């Protein structure tokens, strides 16, 4: 999914074992309020907060993400990064963008293609479609690349810095919530093999931004474009939220999640809601299936069957 959460500059995100997101303050020495990184930090605070508080992102961070929506979010990212990296490649010699061109370290298109193949199979390109909200984002990126390439800084900053910050939290959330393989299939998007330290790379990236030869008016236009990029991301989040309301409870993913025998099932709000709606039969069935999956339950069931068989044999003698 969706990196569906953008960076708040100056903070590092980590996740505690309990799933809580913790922010650790970064220290940037020698920056000036007029530096582009500082202007972006101050100028996108409201947009960042709005994006972070869309229902889709809030649900995602809580681990409430449906696989079908995660897949659609990955599709949106694929088209977005394909457009962004096409325009970055075409403007890699443009002096107001060239210092931020890190294809080996940052480009995400190939990683997203691997994720889509994992989710949709080898024929994924014939299956995925460009959504309306993503199309608007893609069109704007191409427009900027053709006519105002200096504004690509805003789109690259908004996406890649978020991928290296909040995106790493989303990777862990997605793996846990969707039970994805620990080997990384389905979340290759979040893996940066050529960056050994995300914190150090982000500091380098912000330093390169601050060294760009830009006048104050251009810097303010970049901040404005970054807010516009946040807006496009929010439109995609809201679009996914609307789609989610039309999808029944994971009918494409095998129904209710499997109960692993740990914890008190009655305290799970998801199962409690299903019990209230369905008279309890669905949960009873799934609880029984969970018990049967457990080795102890299997032994007990085998013993019961043997006992019943013995009674039946005695009765028929």
């Amino acid at each position: 999914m969706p990196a569906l959460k953008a960076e708040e500059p100056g903070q590092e995100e980590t996740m505690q074992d309990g799933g809580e997101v913790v922010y650790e303050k970064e220290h940037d020495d020698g920056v000036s309020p007029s530096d582009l990184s500082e202007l972006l930090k101050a100028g996108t605070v409201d947009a960042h907060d709005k994006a972070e508080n869309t229902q889709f992102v809030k649900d995602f961070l809580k681990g409430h993400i449906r696989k079908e929506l995660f897949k659609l979010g990955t599709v949106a990212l694929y088209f977005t990064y394909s457009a962004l990296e096409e325009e970055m490649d075409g403007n890699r010699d443009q002096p107001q963008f060239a210092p931020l061109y890190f294809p080996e370290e940052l480009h995400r298109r190939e990683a997203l293609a691997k994720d889509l193949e994992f989710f949709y199979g080898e024929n994924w390109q014939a299956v995925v479609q460009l959504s309306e909200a993503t199309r608007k984002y893609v069109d704007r990126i191409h427009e900027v690349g053709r006519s105002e390439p200096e504004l690509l800084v805003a789109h690259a900053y908004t996406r890649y810095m978020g991928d290296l910050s909040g995106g790493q939290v989303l990777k862990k959330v997605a793996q846990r919530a969707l039970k994805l393989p620990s080997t990384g299939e389905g979340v290759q998007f979040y893996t940066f093999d050529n960056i050994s330290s995300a914190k150090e790379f982000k500091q380098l990236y912000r330093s390169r931004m601050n060294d760009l030869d830009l006048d104050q008016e251009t810097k303010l236009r970049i901040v404005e474009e970054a807010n516009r990029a946040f807006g496009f991301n929010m439109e995609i989040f809201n679009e996914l939220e609307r789609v989610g309301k039309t999808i029944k409870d994971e009918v494409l993913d095998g129904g209710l999640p499997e109960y692993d025998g740990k914890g008190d099932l009655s305290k799970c709000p998801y199962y409690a809601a299903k019990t209230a709606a369905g008279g309890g039969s669905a949960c009873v069935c799934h609880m029984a299936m969970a018990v049967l999956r457990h080795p102890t339950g299997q032994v007990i069931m085998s013993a019961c069957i043997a006992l019943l068989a013995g009674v039946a044999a005695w009765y028929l003698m």
Side-chain angles (χ1 to χ4, degrees):
M1 190 6 107
L4 299 173
K5 182 177 183 294
E7 179 202 34
E8 182 168 354
Q11 289 181 328
E12 277 286 318
E13 288 180 330
T14 58
M15 176 171 281
Q16 293 181 340
D17 291 340
E20 179 183 359
V21 178
V22 179
Y23 294 91
E24 300 174 357
K25 195 71 175 177
E26 287 183 3
H27 299 283
D28 288 329
D29 297 326
V31 295
S32 164
S34 62
D35 284 340
L36 182 56
S37 66
E38 295 301 293
L39 291 172
L40 281 165
K41 179 196 297 186
T44 60
V45 168
D46 290 343
H48 177 273
D49 288 344
K50 289 179 182 177
E52 192 177 57
N53 284 286
T54 57
Q55 193 61 46
F56 179 79
V57 173
K58 289 194 294 185
D59 287 345
F60 198 134
L61 287 171
K62 293 176 183 177
H64 302 159
I65 177 67
R66 296 177 177 183
K67 187 174 183 180
E68 197 62 25
L69 287 186
F70 186 80
K71 289 161 61 176
L72 292 175
T74 303
V75 171
L77 289 171
Y78 174 78
F79 284 115
T80 299
Y81 281 90
S82 294
L84 179 56
E85 289 163 11
E86 177 184 338
E87 296 302 335
M88 288 167 59
D89 288 343
N91 288 280
R92 61 183 177 272
D93 296 323
Q94 212 277 346
Q96 292 182 315
F97 179 76
L100 300 179
Y101 185 63
F102 291 95
E104 296 299 321
E105 292 85 357
L106 292 178
H107 279 196
R108 300 288 85 204
R109 186 177 183 273
E110 290 185 10
L112 285 161
K114 292 178 182 177
D115 289 338
L116 291 176
E117 183 174 353
F118 172 77
F119 287 124
Y120 292 101
E122 293 182 358
N123 198 35
W124 64 269
Q125 288 179 304
V127 177
V128 300
Q129 295 182 348
L130 182 66
S131 73
E132 180 62 22
T134 308
R135 182 189 60 77
K136 293 178 182 178
Y137 196 2
V138 166
D139 286 349
R140 177 57 183 171
I141 290 171
H142 285 309
E143 179 183 0
V144 163
R146 289 190 297 266
S147 60
E148 300 175 279
E150 66 277 7
L151 297 186
L152 285 174
V153 173
H155 292 279
Y157 164 85
T158 302
R159 291 301 333 169
Y160 293 116
M161 294 300 97
D163 301 337
L164 290 169
S165 298
Q168 300 310 297
V169 173
L170 297 183
K171 174 183 178 180
K172 296 176 183 177
V173 172
Q175 285 180 314
R176 291 179 183 177
L178 302 178
K179 298 180 174 63
L180 296 175
S182 60
T183 46
E185 287 88 343
V187 286
Q188 290 293 315
F189 166 70
Y190 301 104
T191 302
F192 292 81
D193 291 327
N194 295 320
I195 295 179
S196 58
S197 169
K199 181 178 180 180
E200 290 179 5
F201 184 86
K202 287 189 295 179
Q203 289 174 339
L204 169 65
Y205 198 89
R206 287 195 285 267
S207 176
R208 289 281 189 93
M209 282 199 307
N210 294 336
D211 288 340
L212 292 173
D213 186 15
L214 304 170
D215 58 31
Q216 188 67 11
E217 180 184 354
T218 303
K219 290 180 181 179
L220 294 178
R221 286 171 53 231
I222 290 173
V223 173
E224 181 181 356
E225 189 68 21
N227 280 301
R228 194 167 186 174
F230 274 108
F232 286 122
N233 280 284
M234 282 187 278
E235 287 185 28
I236 292 174
F237 298 154
N238 291 331
E239 181 181 65
L240 289 170
E241 178 67 20
R242 291 192 298 272
V243 170
K245 293 178 181 179
T246 69
I247 299 176
K248 294 183 179 180
D249 294 325
E250 293 303 80
V251 292
L252 299 179
D253 292 316
L256 288 170
E258 293 182 1
Y259 175 56
D260 61 5
K262 299 177 182 178
D264 185 352
L265 188 64
S266 64
K267 293 181 180 179
C268 174
Y270 184 84
Y271 277 89
K274 299 302 289 186
T275 302
S281 59
C283 271
V284 171
C285 177
H286 279 273
M287 187 182 294
M289 292 299 293
V291 170
L292 288 177
R293 291 189 188 98
H294 197 281
T296 302
Q298 294 169 4
V299 171
I300 294 173
M301 180 57 71
S302 298
C304 290
I305 292 173
L307 178 61
L308 288 173
V311 171
W314 175 82
Y315 180 79
L316 294 173
M317 288 178 61

